[in-house]
Amino acid sequence: TKALVHQIFGDLFERLEGQFPLLDDDGCPLLGLVTAEVQFAVHARIVVTVPHILRLQLLDPVRYRATTASLALVVLDEVHLIAQLDSGMVWEHVLLLLPPAARF
């Protein structure tokens, strides 16, 4: 999963780099990456992460208010993992904890 997250981040960066400014008018980065080992542009408009990290953020809305309050769209890859005991519980928590306005 960790390698996939880095690959997706790299692919998105390549696609977005020439088409959109990497910083918006307020200086907010367009793309960020959050894993257990890497925290890069954590308040970016688009953040690539793993379900486990997103669940931790959703469980602590005071600490991660800037991140979770503005969630508009969540893309979950590798949906087959929901059938696994440990991974599936994380996915279920994420889906249940998402703000009502967030789409997935």
Side-chain angles (χ1 to χ4, degrees), residues 37-99:
E37 296 81 19
V38 177
Q39 289 83 40
F40 171 73
V42 299
H43 298 297
R45 301 283 183 214
I46 300 169
V47 177
V48 179
T49 190
V50 294
H52 176 74
I53 298 293
L54 180 56
R55 179 181 68 166
L56 291 174
Q57 292 175 343
L58 291 167
L59 286 171
D60 193 351
V62 173
R63 183 173 178 192
Y64 296 102
R65 181 180 7 203
T67 303
T68 59
S70 63
L71 275 175
L73 179 65
V74 175
V75 177
L76 297 170
D77 193 12
E78 297 195 23
V79 73
H80 66 276
L81 293 176
I82 201 165
Q84 295 179 357
L85 184 59
D86 292 339
S87 299
M89 287 177 38
V90 172
W91 280 59
E92 288 178 16
H93 288 156
V94 166
L95 294 174
L96 290 170
L97 294 167
L98 285 174

